[in-house]
Amino acid sequence: MRFKILLILLAMATCAAAQKKYTVSGYITDQKSSETLISATIYDEVSKTGAITNVFGFYSLTLPEGRHTLKYHYVGYVVQTREIDLKENTTINIALTDDNEIGEIVVTAQKDEAGITSTKMGSIDVPARIVEHTPAILGETDVMRTVQLMPGVQQGSLGTSSIYVRGGGGDENLILLDGSPIYKVDHLFGFFSVFTPEAIKKVTFYKSSFPARYNGRVSSVIDVRTKDGDMQDFKQSFSIGLLTSRFTIEGPIKKDKTSFSLSGRTTYLSLLTTPVMSLIKIDGEKINFGYWFYDLNAKVNHKFSDKDRLYVSFYRGVDKLWMRDKYEYKDSDYDKSKNDEKYYLRWGNLLTTTRWNHVFSPRLFSNATLSFNKYKMAIGDRYKEDRTSTFYDYQLGTREVRSWKSDYESEYNSSIVDLGIADDFDFMPGDKHDLKFGFNYIHHIFDPETSHTKIKNTNTEDATDTLMTHPGAKKINAEELSLYVEDDWKVLDNLHINPGFAYTLFAVGGKTYSNFQPRFSIKYTAAKDVSFKASYTRMSQCVHLLTSTPISLPTDLWVPITKDIKPEIANQYSIGAYYTGLKMWELSVEGYYKQLDNVLEYKDGMSFMGFSADWQKLVSMGKGTSKGIEFMAQKNTGKATGWISYTLSKSDRDFDEYSQVNNGDPFPFTYDRRHNIAIVYNQKFNDRIDLDVTWNYFSGAHATISLSKEQIVLPESRTVRHSDWNPDKYEYTYTTTTNNTDYVDYVDNRNNYTLPASHLMCVGVNFHKQKKRCERIFNISVYNVYNAKNPNLCFSESDGERLKLRKITILPIIPSFTFTYKF
Amino acid sequence: MKNLHIIILACIVATLAACTEDLPIDAAPTTGILCLNGYLYSDCDTNLLYVTTTGVSSPKNVKDATVRMFVNGTLAEEKTQSDSTTGGYYHLKTKFHPGDVVRIEADYNGLHAYREATVPDVPKDLHFSVTPIKSKSFYDQEYEEYVHYDMYRIDISFTDISSGSNYYRLYTNYDKYKIDNQDHRERIIDTVYYDGIPYEEWRDSVYYSRDTIHYYTNDSYYDDMNEDLYIGEAAPLTDEEMSADNDFMDGLYNYYNVFNNSRFAGGKCELKIYQQAGFGSRYSSSGDGFPPEEVTVYSDDPTPPEYYYTQYVGIESIDEQGYYYIKSLNGYESGAYSNDELTGSVKMWRNVEGGSGNIIFASRAMEKVVVLDGYTPKVKIVERRDEARY
């Protein structure tokens, strides 16, 4: 069946190409920096057809021979018009001018009609300026926090940057950095994402009709594209905030040919928290620990010609949490030592991607990609001792003073390495078709657990110098191949369809899973400003994240499916209506129904506790359903921009009676929040001041709470002899108890408690000052302006007679400021 | 893991200044749920069944439940009164055998709960032997020094009861004691410190395997690790090794020695586990942990001490429900289900229908080996003025 579809598509494409038409193609760039513009539009006023630039800024528009009036536009830029007499294939590269040059940000002549023109639904473009203008915790703007404000997106634990899209799990989001999947997307246990705002060019978020080239996760795709680097001039910006400092440098290596972009971010959280930490004690001991992270993005792009471009991008991000204890021990003159103990947790991503864009013809564009992606986590321990002891031999009556040094190192590692190769083609055979096809192959190497121990001891009697390496769970190799094709087909002037499919193979442990994933979207334009869409999407997922806490931990492990655990499948049906009749506004309503098959849950009483061996025995496969309706009113142009969205949704899980999950009874998904309202308001008063406000309300998530105790039986009787020191008799007194029962929390149903709703407002004000050689921006942000005491975490505790439920609010009102200098 | 949670939470709290408040509870406490619990052995004269109900702060014992036991569909026993004055447990005197279908049910206050299962077969061909192993010194993180930690290695083998999915639990126990020249009998136990409070604890099978392997760093270490794969269910490392002895996280410890046959289905299972020698001084660099070859005694009382050591090993086959229940118990004992702020409560495994609790049916094969039977070291006799040591 799938081959028939392909043949039909190709036949139609060939027929279209056979007509006497010519193609206008080229790149659309920013005039100042030569940075390519993604999703810029080209529109022919004569034939009333248009095209849009791809993620590399390339467009292709096939038109009949003759005169045409082409309009090039991009939000926030001055529209350019070209009159052409088309007699042959023509390359037109366009450099658009930022409309700040003409001092006004009002684009009324040409509306940004992304909601109408796109055949797909549930896809939202998030330009970098929107990310920059979303206030967040401690002044740290964040892609994920912006995405959290989109309809259909639920955040996990309040304050974290985790996202749950249309009832999907936290590990069901494909997050791409310049086209490569990134496994660990957050810092500080989920409070910040790894994306440095200054490095971002554009973010595209998909939640229903996924383009066929995206595969591997079932709930959403977040495609983050970074800046290529200014081809004309050097630019620098430096920001100093409460939590982090950031820099960006970009410029030409050779004008109009080669450019680079370099950005970095690091935190000084430890410096700020050290005074507070010194007051905290665990088990009566002071803890001396610190935390830092950094991100480094680098990119070089070289333009060989109008037909060939090369991009090399690099990302490195590392988090480290450590504890250190340095102390001297002196029992007497006979025994003394200097000790240095250090424990650490370190985790991070390394991504390198090389992409080659080649324009085979005005109608065929190719992007070939080679990628290397590594995520590694390490838990380590180092202990050093410099010791002097006096030994006394009672038999011989001799003393000996002995000194020695000990050095003990141990590290536990977990890593994933992906080696990928892909080629994506855009083929635009005529004005009615836009074909995309290609392949993506990834060789995964999962290395869930390995530990190394090194012991050195110079004590003559016990001298050791040992290195031990223990591979824990076996290293797992997996091969993933996906082939895809899709066509954006203009059937009639007011009817567009987008049929496509992806075919994926995933081979692991001697078993190969194949999945055919059809995708279909249809758009009907009923009137000038009214359109309707519908879509069906099937997605599959072959990797899962093992985790047991609601916050992101570095010890969470990604593992591939096994011969017993099948790929997770999502079938999603969506319909939507869109209206753009109100000046500068886009109104939309979308409804969806999503079925999840082979969704995983831990069996009752099972949990992931740091190692992955036999993990498949701890989980069961079941079903999940999610349905909802999303309203959004968005204003993208003008001095005041933003959006209002409301989501009504329901999501639950259902496992059969043999699954040992919740006795086979259905239960609500943890982040099944019934209502979600988001308001984002950005106001540019003048060139010097702008204001950003967000307000968010969402119903409470679900938690599993115990309100009573039940008895359990132990396989062995436990005899415990308690010792109590009796200072009068100067001896211990002992009491012995023997029992083979105990009692634990009784839980009738999973997620049996609905937490209270949360709401919060965040405000940010930017003060711009243009100086002679630079621009200074001073940002003041306030997170949770009216100090709403939202439940970030909750737990139950007993006061001896009754159980109480308590909430912890860890994010009260938090003011912050950031200075930015742009040169 | 709990420590990691505490540190992360402390970090977040210290950074962002938390506050705690009570929440309204809109659900009624789930009290009065009938719970049946029992770990029942085939061919056993008396098994205990615990009958309780859930309670707000602790479960409530039930004195007057009606308990019935059916074997292969026939009512074998019925009790209406607890065998304990405070309620809670009921003695079941009916012997059942491997292969029997046993149903246990109870009625109380209109509540009805039951469990029915087929009793698993007894593991076959159980053999074991004990070998003394002298270790090199190792670095003891807890006591922060290099010490000897000598072991007895226990080699165990048995045959899987079938090629299907089977589940087992290792049981070990020992009786080690010394009788000194004053005829005092001293049982050898280990001292355990929890939260800095010293108290001594022993469980029937506490001294075995993976936690002791950690300390055992001689040349055959790797082999031993591999051979211990079954009982670790391929868990890569011990608790301590996985966390590199650090304070960040604890692993899930196989506290009750439960394992499945996925790596030896239908074949022979061979386990090697280790037990501390336990007779000597742990902290002396010269003490080797085994009974001494020679002791010094006073000439006026030259009787040397006697050392006794009997090792017991049992392999229990349990049903699948029992296996998962014990795995969840491992999580509970390891502190994974601590109802802390990050993990919340965990719904425990349960196999009783109509109520809550777990009834596990087990069949045990048991062997014992007498390792030392009144072993007497050589004596070196000294006069009273000298220091006599043993």
Side-chain angles (χ1 to χ4, degrees), chain A residues 400-451:
Chain A
E400 183 192 354
V401 178
R402 206 183 293 167
S403 297
W404 70 92
K405 289 182 178 177
S406 307
D407 193 345
Y408 174 94
E409 282 181 73
S410 187
E411 190 171 278
Y412 163 80
N413 296 299
S414 163
S415 68
I416 309 167
V417 174
D418 282 358
L419 300 165
I421 181 167
D423 209 344
D424 304 298
F425 295 91
D426 285 7
F427 180 49
M428 291 138 283
D431 60 339
K432 290 187 184 301
H433 294 273
D434 183 356
L435 235 74
K436 294 182 194 300
F437 57 95
F439 76 94
N440 186 11
Y441 167 75
I442 301 174
H443 173 63
H444 300 278
I445 305 166
F446 295 88
D447 193 2
E449 291 110 354
T450 304
S451 94

Side-chain angles (χ1 to χ4, degrees), chain A residues 457-613:
Chain A
N457 180 20
T458 60
N459 188 2
T460 50
E461 214 173 76
D462 299 316
T464 42
D465 188 355
T466 316
L467 174 65
M468 295 176 284
T469 301
H470 307 299
K474 281 182 184 170
K475 200 178 272 191
I476 305 165
N477 290 305
E479 318 299 330
E480 186 171 13
L481 174 68
S482 58
L483 307 169
Y484 71 89
V485 62
E486 69 175 48
D487 182 22
D488 202 59
W489 179 11
K490 183 181 168 185
V491 181
L492 299 168
D493 281 348
N494 61 352
L495 182 67
H496 287 68
I497 61 169
N498 189 307
F501 69 86
Y503 180 71
T504 59
L505 291 168
F506 193 90
V508 63
K511 181 153 186 173
T512 302
Y513 292 96
S514 64
N515 273 296
F516 179 65
Q517 299 162 44
R519 320 268 167 93
F520 185 80
S521 309
I522 183 167
K523 185 198 77 179
Y524 173 66
T525 306
K528 182 171 173 282
D529 294 312
V530 179
S531 63
F532 299 95
K533 296 182 190 180
S535 74
Y536 163 71
T537 306
R538 183 181 172 91
M539 297 285 275
S540 77
Q541 178 164 342
C542 297
V543 293
H544 294 284
L545 183 68
L546 302 181
T547 183
S548 57
T549 60
I551 64 165
S552 169
L553 292 181
T555 48
D556 299 344
L557 281 183
W558 283 96
V559 289
I561 53 170
T562 67
K563 63 183 173 65
D564 301 320
I565 301 293
K566 296 176 189 166
E568 185 176 348
I569 303 289
N571 288 291
Q572 188 176 172
Y573 309 85
S574 309
I575 53 168
Y578 308 83
Y579 179 68
T580 55
L582 287 175
K583 190 179 176 184
M584 294 190 284
W585 283 85
E586 285 181 6
L587 308 180
S588 68
V589 54
E590 291 187 359
Y592 66 91
Y593 178 74
K594 185 157 82 173
Q595 283 178 314
L596 294 165
D597 288 314
N598 306 329
V599 65
L600 299 183
E601 284 282 340
Y602 284 101
K603 293 175 181 174
D604 290 344
M606 301 296 123
S607 171
F608 166 64
M609 283 296 294
F611 67 88
S612 65

